[in-house]
Amino acid sequence: MGKRVIIIGSGFASLSASCYLAKQGYDVSIYEKNKTVGGRARQFVRDGFTFDMGPSWYWMPDIFQSFFNDFGKKTSDYYQLDKLDPAYNIFFSDDVITIGDSMDKICEEFERIEKGSAEPLRKFIKKAQDNYEIAIHKIVLRPGLSPLELVSKDTIVRLDQFFKSISDEVRKRFKNPKLISTLEFPVLFLGAKPNKTPSFYSFMNFADFGLGTWHPKGGMYQVIRAMELLALELGVKIYTDQAVTKIEVAQGKATGVKVNGNTIKADVVLSGADYHHSETLLDPKFRQYSEAYWDKKTFAPSSLLFYVGFDKKLKNVSHHNLFFDTSFEQHAKEIYDDPKWPEAPLFYANFPSLTDSSMAPEGCETGFFLIPIAPDLEDTQQLRNKYFDIILDRFQKLTDQKVEKSILFKEDFCVNDFIDQYNSYKGNAYGMANTLLQTAFLRPKLHSKKVGNLFFTGQLTVPGPGVPPALISGKLVSELIVKHQKT
């Protein structure tokens, strides 16, 4: 048996790394603090209703396929994947924009809103596609060790795109505020304001319009189950209800972890748990980053989430729905510039049972609602109830239906739960934002600078937030571990 690796946490990045390391012959064990694997991508089931607790958008299907291909598998070996049409709806106060499953359909919708906008849209998405090829197949596959990783013929000719923002790029091409919001929305997955996100990240627009929005039958948790099954097939051992309380260090190297009072030895320790929390498992002298360092960083939003079971089928909505009937800019300010509970929040609603009958009892609907909020806010049940009433009232008006009396149950999840269940720094939901000064080599490192044989993976490190980047993060750190073990 090869060298022993202990992995802390079982989210996408951890499961990804476990598979790659096991394939290389390592003896891999995962320790997960919660009852089930998945980290923030767990599943909640109640009374026949099935909810993805965290990620619910399946974008960049090529990244998922590439992951399974690395093991001689295909996504279809594990789950059924369907392309959504429409991909999503965006509700404004006076109109609804429908994003279809092809560029032709999307261009037709843009023309309806702003005459002459189809041609600049096609040019914008073509540029975004070029960026996607460079970003996904070159830049994000580098481990963030040096600024030189960003220097290539491709990036040099696009240098200006790292100093202009997505907002700059979008607003010079389109005038209609609805279309601007539609094109600025995808970078929110990167955890930063559009005017703080380099225009190079327009590749997210190609991921959206070019590659489309997909749904794994049974929900995003089916991807976690697939990765868990693959890991087990490769010999990975997974232990749940096992919280790691300390990373052991001897002679400057990680030697194992402490779980439930027991010390478990390892040759390598890899943490896929929250990076800040992972460092608190070390004695202070072994921590790379101070509290002041973390406090100065720009974090992606937290979220107020609601999981709702309805006793009837809903109308005038699609699988994914964005409610942009209030000010995009004002809500962004209340997340990033002046953190506080938003006056009039944008929100997202997901009804997977509209396209996947397995996710709700017959004649019923599974509803998932999300309000992005600043991390580290006061979190009380009174506030949660207040905001549910706010968005439910707007939801009913904008979709022209009464649903309040059709609610069978409602569960909520917010800042305190992110901290309690995921040890999330300040209760953030998506990790550290991908701003210019928090990109690539400027993010927290995959390999500890102070402790040998200690590594990190996930959304606070390279390459950044989101499910596809998490899969890549697991691959990058596994390659780094193999390289270090050979030297």
Side-chain angles (χ1 to χ4, degrees):
M1 184 65 76
K3 289 187 175 181
R4 185 162 196 208
V5 179
I6 285 178
I7 299 179
I8 305 170
S10 66
F12 279 108
S14 291
L15 288 171
S16 170
S18 77
C19 292
Y20 285 110
L21 289 168
K23 182 184 176 184
Q24 290 291 326
Y26 287 81
D27 176 11
V28 183
S29 298
I30 292 175
Y31 289 86
E32 165 60 51
K33 76 183 285 286
N34 292 310
K35 295 183 185 299
T36 58
V37 299
R40 300 176 197 221
R42 290 183 301 154
Q43 186 183 68
F44 167 53
V45 179
R46 176 173 167 179
D47 302 336
F49 293 85
T50 301
F51 302 85
D52 286 312
M53 293 185 68
S56 60
W57 292 79
Y58 193 106
W59 274 7
M60 305 185 188
D62 52 326
I63 303 295
F64 293 89
Q65 192 67 260
S66 178
F67 169 78
F68 286 103
N69 287 348
D70 283 345
F71 302 92
K73 307 283 188 179
K74 305 186 296 292
T75 55
S76 58
D77 293 333
Y78 296 98
Y79 53 87
Q80 177 186 322
L81 201 56
D82 298 307
K83 193 173 188 181
L84 297 179
D85 185 24
Y88 54 92
N89 284 340
I90 306 179
F91 288 79
F92 295 94
S93 58
D94 59 351
D95 199 1
V96 179
I97 290 182
T98 299
I99 302 301
D101 65 346
S102 71
M103 274 302 298
D104 287 343
K105 291 179 183 177
I106 297 168
C107 285
E108 187 177 330
E109 186 73 335
F110 267 54
E111 280 289 323
R112 180 181 70 83
I113 302 293
E114 182 179 314
K115 291 297 182 187
S117 62
E119 184 179 349
L121 176 64
R122 288 188 189 275
K123 289 180 180 177
F124 176 72
I125 296 301
K126 177 61 177 70
K127 188 174 181 179
Q129 182 176 5
D130 293 340
N131 287 351
Y132 186 88
E133 293 301 318
I134 294 162
I136 300 304
H137 299 297
K138 295 180 181 178
I139 292 177
V140 301
L141 296 178
R142 294 167 182 166
L145 302 178
S146 162
L148 296 177
E149 292 175 1
L150 293 178
V151 180
S152 70
K153 178 182 69 177
D154 295 315
T155 56
I156 288 171
V157 299
R158 291 168 175 80
L159 193 60
D160 65 316
Q161 293 189 49
F162 289 91
F163 296 98
K164 294 177 184 175
S165 74
I166 281 286
S167 287
D168 295 334
E169 194 75 14
V170 168
R171 289 163 192 254
K172 76 179 183 184
R173 287 176 165 81
F174 306 93
K175 302 305 176 191
N176 186 284
K178 297 185 180 83
L179 298 188
I180 289 170
S181 293
T182 299
L183 289 168
E184 289 184 346
F185 144 70
V187 301
L188 297 181
F189 284 101
L190 301 171
K193 289 170 64 175
N195 65 358
K196 298 291 185 183
T197 303
S199 67
F200 180 76
Y201 284 99
S202 67
F203 66 75
M204 291 297 293
N205 294 102
F206 175 71
D208 179 3
F209 288 3
L211 298 177
T213 303
W214 301 74
H215 172 72
K217 186 175 169 124
M220 284 291 287
Y221 195 68
Q222 297 308 312
V223 187
I224 289 289
R225 283 190 169 141
M227 295 178 72
E228 178 188 21
L229 182 57
L230 175 60
L232 294 171
E233 289 171 357
L234 291 165
V236 176
K237 295 175 281 294
I238 301 175
Y239 304 96
T240 55
D241 266 329
Q242 302 285 317
V244 172
T245 54
K246 187 172 178 61
I247 297 172
E248 300 283 3
V249 179
Q251 298 179 326
K253 293 185 177 181
T255 58
V257 298
K258 190 162 282 185
V259 181
N260 296 335
N262 300 314
T263 297
I264 303 166
K265 295 292 185 182
D267 299 296
V268 175
V269 175
L270 167 61
S271 183
D274 177 275
Y275 204 123
H276 170 269
H277 168 73
S278 300
E279 288 224 308
T280 68
L281 302 177
L282 294 161
D283 291 336
K285 64 182 178 180
F286 296 127
R287 298 172 191 172
Q288 306 169 91
Y289 305 107
S290 67
E291 289 298 317
Y293 168 90
W294 292 110
D295 193 52
K296 289 176 184 175
K297 293 299 175 184
T298 301
F299 274 78
S302 185
S303 298
L304 171 54
L305 307 167
F306 299 101
Y307 311 105
V308 185
F310 294 97
D311 68 5
K312 68 176 184 180
K313 301 301 291 183
L314 303 187
K315 63 179 184 177
N316 302 332
V317 289
S318 62
H319 188 118
H320 295 290
N321 307 270
L322 302 167
F323 290 83
F324 284 7
D325 54 309
T326 58
S327 170
F328 188 111
E329 288 80 8
Q330 183 59 33
H331 190 169
K333 285 178 184 175
E334 292 163 337
I335 293 174
Y336 296 103
D337 303 333
D338 181 21
K340 61 184 176 184
W341 280 93
E343 288 291 321
L346 308 178
F347 66 98
Y348 158 69
N350 171 25
F351 305 101
S353 48
L354 279 171
T355 51
D356 183 352
S357 61
S358 71
M359 299 194 73
E362 188 174 355
C364 297
E365 211 82 89
T366 290
F368 169 99
F369 296 82
L370 181 154
I371 303 173
I373 58 173
D376 207 26
L377 293 184
E378 176 190 15
D379 174 16
T380 67
Q381 192 60 52
Q382 184 179 6
L383 279 165
R384 297 183 187 199
N385 293 341
K386 170 188 171 182
Y387 277 87
F388 183 73
D389 290 343
I390 288 172
I391 65 170
L392 190 67
D393 179 61
R394 282 166 48 199
F395 175 81
Q396 291 182 124
K397 289 176 181 174
L398 290 164
T399 64
D400 191 28
Q401 62 187 317
K402 294 290 184 183
V403 299
E404 192 169 3
K405 292 182 180 177
S406 296
I407 294 174
L408 295 171
F409 64 86
K410 168 179 68 75
E411 299 282 349
D412 46 48
F413 197 100
C414 197
V415 171
N416 292 345
D417 301 299
F418 279 103
I419 294 170
D420 177 60
Q421 298 193 31
Y422 307 133
N423 296 310
S424 170
Y425 181 69
K426 294 185 177 181
N428 81 81
Y430 309 109
M432 188 182 288
N434 251 345
T435 61
L436 179 60
L437 297 179
Q438 294 181 175
T439 295
F441 67 96
L442 296 172
R443 297 181 71 80
K445 303 302 182 189
L446 291 167
H447 184 210
S448 173
K449 296 177 290 187
K450 290 192 173 182
V451 180
N453 297 337
L454 175 60
F455 298 82
F456 303 87
T457 189
Q459 57 189 4
L460 268 73
T461 182
V462 179
V467 176
L471 298 181
I472 293 169
S473 185
K475 182 175 186 177
L476 291 175
V477 78
S478 68
E479 292 170 348
L480 208 55
I481 289 170
V482 172
K483 179 181 176 182
H484 274 263
Q485 292 305 299
K486 287 180 178 177
T487 56

